[in-house]
Amino acid sequence: MRSALSARDLLASEALRDGQVVGGGAGLDATVTSVKLITEGYDWGDFAPGTGVVFDAGSERDSPTYRQHLVELIARRMSARGGRVLIVTGVGPERAPASTVRLADRLGLPVVFTARASGPSGPELTAGLLAIVHTPGIAIAQAVGTAARGLRSAGGALDRTLAVLESMLHARCAAMLPDGTVAAGQPPVVAHKHLPRHPVTVAERADDIAFAVSPVPGSGNPAALWLVAESSRGGLVWADTAATLLDMASGYVAARNAADELAAERDARYLSGLLTELFEAGDPVPGHIAERTVKAGWVLDGWHTAVYLTMPGAPPSLPLAAWARLTDILSGVLPPLIEYGDGWVTWTTSALRPSTAAHQALITGLRRAMESYRQTSGVPAVVLGVSDPASGVVRLAASVTQARQAATVAAATGGDGAVQPAEGLSLLRLLLGGYGSAAFRDDATQLLRPLLEADGGEQLLETLEAYLDSGRSPSETAARLGLHRNTVAQRIRRAERELSVSLDDPDQRFAVHLASRALRLT
Amino acid sequence: MSVSPAHALLNAGHAADLALGAAVLGSGGGGDTRTGAAAIAAALGAGDSVPLVPAAAVGPDAWVAGVMAVGATSVMLERLPSGDEFTAAVRALQRHAGVRLDAVLGMEGAGANALLSVLCAHWLNLPLIDADGMGRAFPRIEQTIFTAAGIRAAPLVLANSTADIMIIEAGSNASVERLARAALPALGGWAAATGYLMRGRDCAAHAITGTFSRALAIGAAIRRARLGGPAGPAGEGPIREAGGHLVFEGVVIEVWQRTSLGPGTVTLEHRGNRRRALRVELADELLLAIEDGAVAAAVPDIICALDSRRLTPVGADSITTGQELDIWRFAAPDAWYRPPGAGLVGLPAFGLAPVDWLA
């Protein structure tokens, strides 16, 4: 996938870091096949199309000869012979005369001014650029060699990895989430709205910017984390180099992420075990558990308001990027989350009972946080349940249960991003929440499947439901559905047959009734 | 008397044309000519005249020498020559060399020195030979065709208005230039100079002839062009007939001042086609004109900027952005285009790298 080398790629090289394109920018993408140092008296006979020219216009200290007037003459000659870029060295810090700028623009020949004081001499510059032109692979190999050391010592830490890439590529580098949110580094100039759906490395140019993007392996499909490098100076060869380095860096970042994930999982297991032990021990908390809770940073005295986070649908699992986003958003409102049951729990603590206003402020803060989480694209839905404030360890356990029930209700009824306070939730709502859950719905569907798959299944289910709702009264059912009493009896018998149940058995009857209710809720 | 009767007489009526033409031959340098024209008009106002004789009319054994002012013409214009400086210099040269001059010629028959040559002949009551050493303006004493011909500038006599006289004997004409330049601050910034003492036969063989006539012709052509009506193509004819080639009709869009590191650089945009641009490199004179990457004129070409409306020559040090200028090229005398003259006055003589390999 080696790309043709352009003047832009030369500009992106270390040797031309200080080079200024004074004119002729329209020609920057033309392919450069060779580089030639031109000195006074050069014979134009062997000048080949595709050649870039280096011309040293600097004055020698011992024989001050002015050479800048030759720039335009050379530009015209080389342009007529298919020359691609004119690099003028030794011209000091001044800008180019208007005539040079105009001629370069008119010819579409990029003219680059670079001060020799801060860079290599004409022959050195030419040698360096020749190496890039003839063997771009060598330049990439050199870059990779140098980058490997830097990336290894960065150890996959995002900020340090990006710093290494920035200095190697002379580029803006960032780590981005799929929706374009910058997770680390400098915000890119190109709107990377369309990061690839599939985790593949891309090297391209758009809007005069060369860029490369590389997915961080193991972050999901589509990838949840991307490394991006951009340069206004690079061409496609630069982008190829950048892609190579980003891929390397992605590997280090992925390794680091995996290690972090393992450590986090270990911590999570430990903490959720500790929480279970704490709740089982009750009040007073045994000394060895109390000691560990203190080390974990938990506050057990005072008034607690538990918050439970779960995901509608089972099993709950959050991709790393979503988890990072969520914990980032919630970090301003809540202490760290602890894995517990089918979700995560945490609690806020205050010495005195929180006022109604303070409790309401917590809920408002959580709603705002959920709102901004929901605006992150590509993250799965989550819901929060919030308990009433309660004091002491025993009441904390109860609060956690209450928050969990509220979250279950939120998952069943509120959907994505809902925040459900326990306050005012009736027992019925809690039960509704329970049997309205996705897991229960699945069981209900399973139970009723034979009926639903039978001929006229919908009709049978409707009749069965009305029959059970009416306390098993055929006449009331017939009246409600506008049917003959015998039709009802005949349908009920058929339903019992399809489901292989007997509605005379209280347990079986209750299960069928509950299942039909759960299905209705969807 | 070894000089034939004059073929022409210069009088006050010639002052304006001579000033215009001498400014053109100044190639943007050579100093202001209007003050000199006023001085000629005043000196010859009473019906006096200066004989202008062809070099060929000077007897082979006659003694002739070049005259000029060297140094800062701006200082000279602040304190105008009284004439005593020049007569003192010539007398000192005659005393030093033991000769008596039969005529004078210009060292630089362009710019202010063209007019000073006429005045000097008038003050010395000698004929002026229609010839000089440069055929245009150059900044250095040794940049004469005489140097190319092996004629020595020394002894060169410098005299100032306070009767200080310095006689330079030197091993080469370049040394004469170096020593004279070094002496100028002590002499007050400028001095009357006379040198290149030679016989009439050498003058006839080597001098650039017809320089004063040419200045008069160019001046008259510009005067006719001005009369031709508003500036524009209709007015160009007479200047073309006088040997001018119109290089560019532009407006100045950028001026880079000259620095110790290089010449000044001026960019003009064409008034008829904005895509065309002309780059002019200038030092004391306009040295090089490049249009769109091709050489349009280069020293020793005489490159002259004329204000497009009034057809007034604009000096290299007076070019500013926004001016509408017509850039004209006049051929320099042939001797400057071939060795050994070419080596004295090409771009390298002004510190600019040669362009022939890019032509």
Side-chain angles (χ1 to χ4, degrees):
Chain A
M1 67 158 208
R2 198 85 296 148
S3 303
L5 184 124
S6 66
R8 278 186 208 282
D9 293 309
L10 297 182
L11 279 176
S13 69
E14 181 67 36
L16 280 183
R17 269 198 86 176
D18 297 329
Q20 298 290 323
V21 180
V22 302
L28 280 171
D29 289 315
T31 301
V32 179
T33 54
S34 185
V35 178
K36 193 175 269 294
L37 177 68
I38 284 193
T39 52
E40 279 160 58
Y42 170 73
D43 174 10
W44 290 88
D46 64 344
F47 188 89
T51 301
V53 166
V54 174
F55 175 66
D56 189 345
S59 292
E60 303 300 330
R61 201 179 292 269
D62 46 348
S63 63
T65 299
Y66 181 81
R67 292 194 180 83
Q68 285 191 38
H69 58 291
L70 303 181
V71 168
E72 290 167 35
L73 302 173
I74 293 171
R76 181 172 173 139
R77 286 221 96 171
M78 64 178 287
S79 175
R81 286 162 175 75
R84 291 290 195 244
V85 56
L86 173 55
I87 296 153
V88 184
T89 180
V91 280
E94 78 263 32
R95 58 204 166 83
S99 54
T100 305
V101 175
R102 284 173 173 234
L103 182 65
D105 287 342
R106 189 168 168 181
L107 298 173
L109 176 79
V111 174
V112 180
F113 272 29
T114 175
R116 194 178 49 186
S118 60
S121 69
E124 285 166 347
L125 181 60
T126 309
L129 296 179
L130 260 177
I132 295 172
V133 168
H134 287 306
T135 45
I138 285 183
I140 293 177
Q142 282 172 344
V144 167
T146 314
R149 286 189 289 280
L151 291 174
R152 194 161 51 233
S153 71
L158 265 188
D159 286 343
R160 290 176 61 200
T161 300
L162 293 174
V164 170
L165 291 173
E166 275 168 16
S167 79
M168 286 303 305
L169 294 167
H170 311 310
R172 298 167 70 87
C173 296
M176 292 177 72
L177 301 182
D179 68 334
T181 309
V182 176
Q186 307 181 60
V189 176
V190 173
H192 295 284
K193 278 183 189 153
H194 305 291
L195 283 170
R197 291 193 59 79
H198 304 291
V200 291
T201 302
V202 172
E204 270 180 33
R205 275 182 49 75
D207 306 332
D208 264 4
I209 307 269
F211 65 87
V213 294
S214 167
V216 174
S219 64
N221 187 356
L225 191 65
W226 294 84
L227 297 186
V228 179
E230 284 183 355
S231 167
S232 56
R233 306 193 65 136
L236 285 174
V237 170
W238 175 88
D240 285 348
T241 310
T244 307
L245 294 194
L246 289 191
D247 281 348
M248 271 178 76
S250 292
Y252 282 105
V253 171
R256 167 72 166 247
N257 280 352
D260 285 354
E261 235 168 319
L262 272 177
E265 204 166 308
R266 204 173 54 231
D267 289 351
R269 291 225 178 106
Y270 170 76
L271 291 177
S272 79
L274 179 58
L275 197 59
T276 309
E277 279 185 63
L278 175 69
F279 289 163
E280 281 170 359
D283 215 7
V285 180
H288 69 283
I289 295 182
E291 192 185 324
R292 287 160 62 200
T293 60
V294 169
K295 279 184 187 160
W298 297 349
V299 181
L300 301 179
D301 290 334
W303 286 78
H304 309 296
T305 306
V307 178
Y308 195 88
L309 183 144
T310 191
M311 301 166 67
S317 153
L318 275 174
L320 193 66
W323 177 251
R325 178 86 185 126
L326 190 64
T327 49
D328 183 44
I329 287 172
L330 289 177
S331 66
V333 193
L334 293 174
L337 293 163
I338 302 153
E339 203 170 334
Y340 189 71
D342 56 358
W344 295 266
V345 72
T346 188
W347 60 92
T348 64
T349 305
S350 58
L352 300 175
R353 183 190 177 97
S355 64
T356 312
H359 187 65
Q360 200 51 50
L362 172 68
I363 290 166
T364 309
L366 290 171
R367 286 200 167 122
R368 233 176 256 138
M370 282 298 98
E371 190 55 41
S372 74
Y373 172 77
R374 227 184 336 201
Q375 277 161 14
T376 314
S377 76
V379 293
V382 297
V383 292
L384 289 182
V386 184
S387 77
D388 295 328
S391 71
V393 174
V394 175
R395 302 281 299 275
L396 173 60
S399 291
V400 168
T401 305
Q402 195 188 27
R404 185 177 177 177
Q405 288 167 341
T408 308
V409 171
T413 57
D416 182 13
V419 176
Q420 177 65 59
E423 193 179 29
L425 271 185
S426 64
L427 184 62
L428 180 64
R429 283 297 303 276
L430 289 177
L431 279 176
L432 265 174
Y435 74 70
S437 75
F440 196 93
R441 267 201 312 277
D442 289 346
D443 291 344
T445 310
Q446 196 62 34
L447 178 70
L448 296 176
R449 175 162 295 140
L451 187 63
L452 293 169
E453 286 173 356
D455 277 350
E458 270 298 319
Q459 219 173 33
L460 290 178
L461 181 61
E462 186 190 34
T463 311
L464 178 63
E465 222 180 338
Y467 176 71
L468 292 171
D469 284 352
S470 68
R472 300 176 69 202
S473 158
S475 15
E476 198 182 322
T477 306
R480 192 188 292 180
L481 299 179
L483 298 171
H484 192 273
R485 209 172 155 272
N486 290 346
T487 313
V488 172
Q490 181 241 326
R491 284 188 185 172
I492 295 302
R493 276 196 303 278
R494 196 174 149 221
E496 282 180 310
R497 214 168 44 242
E498 296 287 356
L499 290 171
S500 311
V501 296
S502 163
L503 293 179
D504 293 332
D505 179 329
D507 287 343
Q508 293 188 19
R509 186 172 69 235
F510 180 65
V512 169
H513 199 175
L514 203 55
S516 68
R517 279 312 257 196
L519 219 55
R520 272 294 161 243
L521 275 172
T522 57
Chain B
M1 179 81 172
S2 53
V3 175
S4 309
H7 288 228
L9 292 171
L10 291 174
N11 57 41
H14 294 108
D17 284 355
L18 185 62
L20 259 180
V24 169
L25 295 182
S27 193
D32 175 75
T33 59
R34 284 165 299 186
T35 312
I40 289 178
L44 304 181
D48 283 352
S49 61
V50 170
L52 184 67
V53 298
V58 179
D61 294 321
W63 284 104
V64 302
V67 290
M68 77 187 301
V70 294
T73 52
S74 54
V75 178
M76 183 178 75
L77 293 174
E78 271 172 28
R79 204 169 157 190
L80 287 169
S82 64
D84 294 346
E85 307 89 342
F86 289 89
T87 52
V90 167
R91 282 186 194 123
L93 177 67
Q94 292 182 140
R95 262 199 319 277
H96 179 74
V99 302
R100 192 168 177 79
L101 294 186
D102 297 297
V104 292
L105 75 161
M107 278 203 244
E108 177 185 48
N113 271 323
L115 297 126
L116 277 172
S117 302
V118 175
L119 281 168
C120 195
H122 169 70
W123 290 323
L124 292 164
N125 200 23
L126 286 174
L128 175 66
I129 303 171
D130 190 5
D132 77 332
M134 297 181 181
R136 49 159 292 161
F138 285 123
R140 298 201 298 275
I141 295 170
E142 91 277 19
Q143 285 176 309
T144 62
I145 204 65
F146 304 132
T147 300
I151 297 171
R152 299 177 65 227
L156 185 97
V157 180
L158 299 174
N160 67 7
S161 58
T162 52
D164 301 321
I165 290 174
M166 175 178 260
I167 300 174
I168 296 174
E169 285 285 7
S172 72
N173 291 358
S175 290
V176 169
E177 157 70 23
R178 188 165 45 79
L179 294 169
R181 206 58 69 183
L184 282 173
L187 290 168
W190 79 275
T194 180
Y196 289 111
L197 178 66
M198 68 186 93
R199 294 284 194 178
R201 70 174 68 83
D202 293 324
C203 174
H206 301 294
I208 290 165
T209 58
T211 305
F212 293 95
S213 310
R214 188 182 190 193
L216 283 167
I218 291 172
I222 291 176
R223 180 162 45 81
R224 283 201 304 281
R226 285 175 177 171
L227 291 174
E236 288 168 12
I239 305 177
R240 287 187 201 281
E241 284 160 23
H245 169 79
L246 182 56
V247 171
F248 203 79
E249 298 168 281
V251 56
V252 179
I253 60 170
E254 185 182 83
V255 177
W256 281 18
Q257 296 300 332
R258 185 186 176 194
T259 67
S260 59
L261 298 172
T265 301
V266 172
T267 300
L268 295 100
E269 178 183 275
H270 198 275
R271 297 202 297 277
N273 175 0
R274 299 190 59 187
R275 283 170 56 81
R276 289 174 62 189
L278 187 79
R279 172 180 182 145
V280 178
E281 302 287 350
L282 47 86
D284 292 325
E285 292 84 27
L286 306 186
L287 298 173
L288 178 64
I290 296 172
E291 181 179 350
D292 291 334
V295 175
V299 68
D301 287 343
I302 296 160
I303 306 169
C304 174
L306 290 185
D307 175 290
S308 70
R309 291 207 177 84
R310 286 168 295 167
L311 299 186
T312 308
V314 178
D317 51 1
S318 305
I319 294 176
T320 55
T321 52
Q323 281 173 338
E324 291 192 0
L325 298 181
D326 293 343
I327 306 297
W328 288 85
R329 173 169 60 79
F330 291 80
D334 287 345
W336 289 133
Y337 292 104
R338 55 173 194 262
L344 277 175
V345 297
L347 284 169
F350 298 88
L352 273 70
V355 297
D356 45 351
W357 60 287
L358 289 159

